Amino acid sequence: MKTFKLVGLSVIDDDMHRQDIPFIDGLIINKEDGQNRWLVEAYLDDDYEPMFVNLQRRPEFQLQVTITNPGNDPANMLVAVRSITKMNGHISVLMEGLMIPRRTHLAEVVLAGLVKKGLQGEALLQEFRQQMHERIDAKAPQERKR
């Protein structure tokens, strides 16, 4: 197994909106099990407990993580919450999941969102190009405040 510093964490909702989650500390572990499975642990304020309790009820959800350096591109994951541990006004959330290939998944997510909005033809193509350009050029989330 290889362990890395977690420097960015975002939850992607069903409408593909990203919510950055400020955290105090975190790590991500490549299980190196041949199945591309990873563990993510984030130590954060207990204000986020209801959100993660709700996410724990789901079989999986999309997460975006930035590893080691805030300048790195975020990686997309499909994860499930394995545990939530309370710790003196904070919580530790342990998630397990799969890393998703970035380019393929990103295009599918963008396209699905646009189709859901009812776009077709040239309007669909133009909006797809614009959103792909915006997402690819987007910088990693701003450093979190502690």
Side-chain angles (χ1 to χ4, degrees), residues 4-144:
F4 303 91
K5 179 85 172 150
L6 184 68
V7 296
L9 179 67
S10 302
V11 172
I12 310 298
D13 68 19
D14 292 334
D15 294 323
M16 295 301 138
H17 295 108
R18 186 177 84 186
Q19 179 181 356
D20 293 337
I21 308 296
F23 59 95
I24 298 162
D25 204 1
L27 54 91
I28 182 163
I29 301 170
N30 181 346
K31 293 177 75 172
E32 296 185 325
D33 60 1
Q35 297 177 357
N36 205 20
R37 300 198 60 78
W38 294 69
L39 293 172
V40 178
E41 184 173 23
Y43 181 66
L44 39 113
D45 192 278
D46 65 1
D47 290 346
Y48 288 92
E49 183 177 6
M51 175 185 181
F52 282 98
V53 166
N54 186 42
L55 289 169
Q56 191 172 28
R57 295 182 183 118
R58 298 173 61 173
E60 62 185 17
F61 62 97
Q62 188 174 335
L63 195 67
Q64 229 178 34
V65 295
T66 305
I67 303 169
T68 307
N69 183 333
N72 288 342
D73 288 337
N76 292 304
M77 300 183 71
L78 275 180
V79 300
V81 174
R82 294 294 179 225
S83 68
I84 300 170
T85 305
K86 295 182 183 187
M87 300 178 169
N88 299 326
H90 297 90
I91 58 172
S92 173
V93 180
L94 180 66
M95 297 165 277
E96 181 178 21
L98 299 172
M99 203 67 74
I100 303 168
R102 180 167 167 55
R103 292 186 185 265
T104 300
H105 180 70
L106 178 61
E108 289 173 0
V109 166
V110 170
L111 186 57
L114 297 175
V115 168
K116 191 174 182 180
K117 288 181 181 179
L119 293 178
Q120 298 178 12
E122 189 61 32
L124 173 63
L125 184 57
Q126 287 179 357
E127 187 66 21
F128 177 78
R129 285 180 181 148
Q130 178 183 341
Q131 285 195 22
M132 286 296 293
H133 179 72
E134 288 172 1
R135 291 175 188 227
I136 289 171
D137 289 346
K139 297 286 184 196
Q142 295 291 324
E143 267 193 64
R144 66 197 178 279

